[in-house]
Amino acid sequence: MKKLLFIFTLITVSISGFSQVSFTPQSIGTVHSDRAVVDMNNDFLDDVVSVSTTNIQIFYQQPDGSFVETNIVTSPADNTPSWSLAAADYDGNGYTDLLYGGGNGVTFMRANNTGTAYTEISFPEFVFSQRSNFVDINNDGNLDAFVCHDVEPNVYYLNDGDGNLTFYQGGIGDYPSGGHYGSVWIDFDNDGDMDMFNAKCGGGPERSADELHENDGSGVFTEIGAASGLEDSMQTWSSAWADYDNDGDMDVFVGNSTDPFQHKLEINNGDGTFSDISASTGINVMEDTGIENCTYDVNNDGYADIISNGNVLLNNGDLTFTLVENVLPSNNGGFGDLNNDGFLDAFTGSTIYMNDANDNHWITVNTIGVESNRNGIGARLEVVSDLGAQIREVRSGEGFRLMSTLNSHFGLGTDTEIATLTITWPSGIVDVLENVEVDQVITVEEGSTILGLSDDLVSNLIMYPNPTSTVLNLSSIEGFDAASYSIFDVQGKRVKHASLKENTIDVSALANGSYFLKVSDAFNTKTQKFIKK
């Protein structure tokens, strides 16, 4: 083990009217293919990871911002991550495992119960890997793995709950000759399960047609790209999904990789469709094309920015963006907080690009799943402050090639208090924290707060009937703006969720028993208990 000395060079970009955007390059002694910024040892500090055929090199971040290097020798990997790397604790033992997406196949490196050694698990099937992800595909509480296939239908590996993976092919991206490049798992329709958007690239319009795969909650997927408005033949290797207008649903930036197409920003209409608003956003002032696109709030002003091939499109908060050119290398790097200061940094090419920060506030949330997977991958987090509501999702595998943090980061601008922090886990359990202080890192274990539904109980939300067998009729939804509703059982597990578009809610499919109905928007919440008979 050894500690490192660093060399500093300052790159600064100043923009009138915006928070500072600058990074300081800092050398770090990686010697292998640079691939990941992710916590490897369960201390919730992001580490720097590079790998070779027989070695995993980890620079473990220390609480004081320094790093300690460790090299772990492995048996030779049949496949190295020549195309992508994903990371997560898929066997739930507290240490992070790795997925190597190679040009000929897929290899897993499974950490032992102390994080000091790895078992190499390679599958024999040919896979020309592109983007890879860890995600709970069938919502059984266990992390599965998904890999885009360049020349055949996509593949995935289902987890039996003991960490044993079984290979499957087809059902989530089946175009025969592939063209599957950039998968990202998101809950685009706010129904509590993870859907998949597949950015595609290849010869001919059909092979290049982007796909949106809607999950029915049990691991059955329906491709709705055309119906949603997201299908096109733009050549793209990755996309960036975030709530760019802070209205409670996920929008998407689709990055162009080949001229003459332009980049696209599609806004979620809340009804399963998207609208292209690119022309009014200013995103195509950026003429660069490439393969890496991702999204984080890099200046902590409370609005998700777009990072595209080393450029930053700063979100102005009104669905327009200001271009800051070439502030990072062209592959963006993997993102995480590498000095524990609440601002996101990037790593690539044996260099950390430290974010020089500003006076904006922030919070970072670490998630520990109990009924859900240990990392909480697939969880939806919502922070409400004076800025309004912001949402994040815990994801493994964004952009095209690299792996970024599993911690959830929110910028808060000048806000000095968070009214509520809500975590909706893949299991349906909901945790709510109130009056949370800013400028801190917190860790939330699933079920630790047990949803405080009684705090918002009212008597005038549901008029009739109660008990009910089929529908609930609400007295009024006046005073709510773009409201949604959730129904919880008495253990605090969410069993139904949707946008509230009328005063009648169908509860006929619920089992008999007691429930809570919660109606909310960014600023108001009302809850009432009811009985289903």
Side-chain angles (χ1 to χ4, degrees):
M1 296 184 180
K2 62 182 180 181
K3 291 189 177 181
L4 304 176
L5 297 176
F6 301 116
I7 300 171
F8 296 87
T9 305
L10 181 64
I11 298 175
T12 303
V13 180
S14 297
I15 307 173
S16 177
F18 292 89
S19 300
Q20 164 188 324
V21 179
S22 61
F23 295 85
T24 297
Q26 174 176 306
S27 297
I28 189 167
T30 52
V31 295
H32 306 311
S33 177
D34 53 285
R35 282 293 182 268
V37 176
V38 68
D39 172 29
M40 294 294 289
N41 60 349
N42 201 33
D43 64 359
F44 297 109
L45 295 171
D46 286 321
D47 307 310
V48 173
V49 183
S50 68
V51 302
S52 71
T53 304
T54 57
N55 187 265
I56 299 173
Q57 183 190 39
I58 306 171
F59 286 85
Y60 290 107
Q61 184 182 168
Q62 306 301 299
D64 64 1
S66 62
F67 292 89
V68 172
E69 177 187 356
T70 299
N71 285 277
I72 301 174
V73 176
T74 68
S75 58
D78 288 359
N79 307 284
T80 57
S82 52
W83 288 97
S84 70
L85 185 145
D89 180 7
Y90 78 81
D91 58 358
N93 70 351
Y95 291 91
T96 299
D97 312 300
L98 302 175
L99 184 166
Y100 296 175
N104 293 305
V106 176
T107 289
F108 295 86
M109 285 290 180
R110 183 173 174 176
N112 67 2
N113 290 337
T114 60
T116 57
Y118 287 80
T119 299
E120 188 259 356
I121 304 168
S122 293
F123 281 76
E125 294 84 5
F126 168 73
V127 181
F128 189 170
S129 308
Q130 303 295 318
R131 177 72 262 176
S132 52
N133 321 92
F134 281 106
V135 62
D136 185 356
I137 292 174
N138 54 4
N139 206 32
D140 64 353
N142 306 309
L143 275 183
D144 312 304
F146 181 86
V147 182
C148 282
H149 202 315
D150 191 0
V151 296
E152 293 180 16
N154 291 325
V155 303
Y156 52 98
Y157 304 80
L158 293 185
N159 188 341
D160 68 357
D162 293 321
N164 302 307
L165 301 170
T166 301
F167 173 86
Y168 293 87
Q169 185 170 22
I172 318 175
D174 290 343
Y175 193 71
S177 65
H180 310 292
Y181 275 58
S183 53
V184 59
W185 290 79
I186 71 278
D187 181 8
F188 84 92
D189 51 5
N190 287 356
D191 65 352
D193 53 51
M194 299 303 281
D195 314 294
M196 193 273 282
F197 179 76
N198 193 177
K200 298 192 68 183
C201 184
E206 290 186 355
R207 190 173 188 269
S208 301
D210 292 341
E211 300 174 353
L212 180 62
H213 295 266
E214 184 177 28
N215 189 349
D216 72 353
S218 65
V220 176
F221 293 82
T222 303
E223 204 287 299
I224 60 167
S228 70
L230 294 183
E231 181 183 274
D232 61 41
S233 57
M234 181 168 71
Q235 302 286 298
T236 181
W237 289 37
S238 62
S239 60
W241 285 77
D243 185 6
Y244 292 112
D245 52 1
N246 285 358
D247 70 345
D249 49 35
M250 289 292 172
D251 314 303
V252 58
F253 171 85
V254 183
N256 168 33
S257 63
T258 307
D259 289 335
F261 298 103
Q262 291 188 312
H263 309 290
K264 294 177 65 175
L265 184 62
E266 302 263 4
I267 292 298
N268 194 329
N269 298 321
D271 60 1
T273 67
F274 292 77
S275 295
D276 183 356
I277 63 165
S278 308
S280 63
T281 63
I283 62 170
N284 280 308
V285 172
M286 181 181 67
E287 297 179 346
D288 295 349
T289 60
I291 67 174
E292 287 291 353
N293 303 282
C294 62
T295 175
Y296 295 98
D297 183 357
V298 293
N299 61 355
N300 279 2
D301 66 349
Y303 298 98
D305 307 307
I306 298 165
I307 304 97
S308 179
N309 305 299
N311 305 292
V312 175
L313 288 161
L314 280 177
N315 189 338
N316 301 327
D318 59 359
L319 287 178
T320 67
F321 294 78
T322 297
L323 174 63
V324 188
E325 294 185 285
N326 303 319
V327 291
L328 292 168
S330 60
N331 71 352
N332 288 344
F335 284 84
D337 187 352
L338 290 171
N339 57 358
N340 207 29
D341 69 346
F343 285 77
L344 290 172
D345 315 299
F347 156 69
T348 186
S350 298
T351 302
I352 295 171
Y353 293 82
M354 288 293 188
N355 190 324
D356 291 309
N358 54 46
D359 293 330
N360 285 336
H361 298 293
W362 54 273
I363 190 167
T364 298
V365 185
N366 307 317
T367 48
I368 303 176
V370 178
E371 288 196 31
S372 305
N373 65 85
R374 183 178 178 86
N375 297 119
I377 291 169
R380 168 72 64 89
L381 290 81
E382 179 186 67
V383 161
V384 176
S385 68
D386 287 344
L387 273 171
Q390 300 181 57
I391 60 174
R392 301 285 188 271
E393 292 173 337
V394 185
R395 304 174 188 153
S396 171
E398 297 186 75
F400 177 72
R401 185 184 297 269
L402 306 177
M403 176 69 201
S404 295
T405 183
L406 291 170
N407 304 334
S408 296
H409 168 269
F410 294 84
L412 294 164
T414 60
D415 289 358
T416 57
E417 186 177 75
I418 295 167
T420 59
L421 164 62
T422 303
I423 304 175
T424 304
W425 301 84
S427 67
I429 290 173
V430 177
D431 283 294
V432 179
L433 291 77
E434 297 182 338
N435 303 318
V436 182
E437 294 184 2
V438 301
D439 299 337
Q440 65 166 329
V441 180
I442 66 171
T443 299
V444 181
E445 184 174 281
E446 182 177 10
S448 60
T449 69
I450 302 299
L451 180 68
L453 289 164
S454 60
D455 295 343
D456 302 307
L457 281 174
V458 298
S459 60
N460 64 343
L461 182 59
I462 302 171
M463 288 293 289
Y464 62 92
N466 188 7
T468 182
S469 58
T470 54
V471 297
L472 292 173
N473 297 283
L474 308 189
S475 59
S476 174
I477 56 174
E478 291 182 4
F480 286 99
D481 181 22
S484 63
Y485 73 88
S486 297
I487 296 175
F488 302 89
D489 64 20
V490 292
Q491 282 76 44
K493 179 177 286 189
R494 189 172 72 175
V495 295
K496 188 176 178 67
H497 175 75
S499 298
L500 185 62
K501 299 184 183 302
E502 55 188 8
N503 288 31
T504 300
I505 298 173
D506 182 0
V507 296
S508 59
L510 297 180
N512 293 346
S514 296
Y515 296 91
F516 292 91
L517 171 68
K518 182 177 181 179
V519 177
S520 60
D521 62 13
F523 300 100
N524 304 291
T525 298
K526 289 185 178 182
T527 305
Q528 183 155 340
K529 192 172 183 178
F530 71 94
I531 297 172
K532 167 66 185 341
K533 63 179 182 180

